[in-house]
Amino acid sequence: MGTKLKLEIKGLDELNARITKLGGNTKEVAEQALKETHAFITPKIQTAMKAHNRTGKTEGQIIDQAKVDWAGTVATLKAGFALSEGLTPIYLMHGTDPHVITHADPRGTPRRHPGTRGDAKLKSAASISSNRSKIIKIQEDVFYNFIRRLGG
């Protein structure tokens, strides 16, 4: 979903101090950690979306550009789906309840729709919480490898 990724590392302040002491750029490593998190999540979503690719429109809503935005000292990166282009990904992931459709019939006769089941694989692929432990590992590895490269 249109989620903003964030750093989820325990002891981030201590890592920042170590990187600064070694002459490294914390902003650079933070961006790399977020981009690697994006690189982990996005292919999972793309794979899960293949089951729903009739027109390619919803698949086109997948945020595949890893662009980090900074607001002061807070870095975020959008991942998942660009919901400003439509809510179809939400319906695919969560399904719909039974409902009445009035506009589908040219005569205006209401038609009952049985609803749809959500796609658990797509929902899981796009969920930050279901991928949290792997995300934390990816981000920690980026920071610790950066520190090792600096000689710390």
Side-chain angles (χ1 to χ4, degrees):
M1 303 190 293
T3 303
K4 288 189 178 184
L5 296 175
K6 61 182 180 178
L7 293 175
E8 302 204 22
I9 300 170
K10 289 183 180 177
L12 187 57
D13 292 335
E14 292 83 13
L15 289 173
N16 181 30
R18 284 176 66 185
I19 290 168
T20 302
K21 184 178 177 182
L22 293 167
N25 183 341
T26 304
K27 186 174 181 177
E28 176 186 332
V29 71
E31 288 189 10
Q32 182 183 350
L34 288 171
K35 288 178 179 179
E36 288 195 24
T37 304
H38 186 273
F40 165 71
I41 293 284
T42 303
K44 292 176 72 148
I45 296 169
Q46 290 168 329
T47 299
M49 268 304 297
K50 290 190 187 309
H52 304 283
N53 191 14
R54 291 190 186 125
T55 66
K57 184 176 177 184
T58 305
E59 190 171 25
Q61 287 182 248
I62 297 171
I63 300 168
D64 55 5
Q65 298 296 316
K67 180 183 176 294
V68 177
D69 294 312
W70 286 90
T73 59
V74 177
T76 58
L77 186 145
K78 291 181 182 175
F81 294 96
L83 297 178
S84 60
E85 298 175 24
L87 298 177
T88 305
I90 299 294
Y91 300 132
L92 291 174
M93 288 185 282
H94 298 280
T96 62
D97 290 332
H99 54 281
V100 175
I101 301 174
T102 57
H103 65 279
D105 188 322
R107 297 178 306 247
T109 306
R111 188 169 60 91
R112 292 202 173 278
H113 187 280
T116 58
R117 285 193 174 152
D119 182 338
K121 289 180 184 176
L122 180 59
K123 185 177 178 181
S124 176
S127 169
I128 299 303
S129 60
S130 68
N131 293 294
R132 179 158 274 121
S133 62
K134 182 66 175 164
I135 289 170
I136 290 169
K137 173 96 171 86
I138 289 168
Q139 292 177 352
E140 286 176 347
D141 287 350
V142 169
F143 269 81
Y144 288 116
N145 288 337
F146 190 82
I147 289 170
R148 278 189 217 103
R149 283 195 311 268
L150 292 173

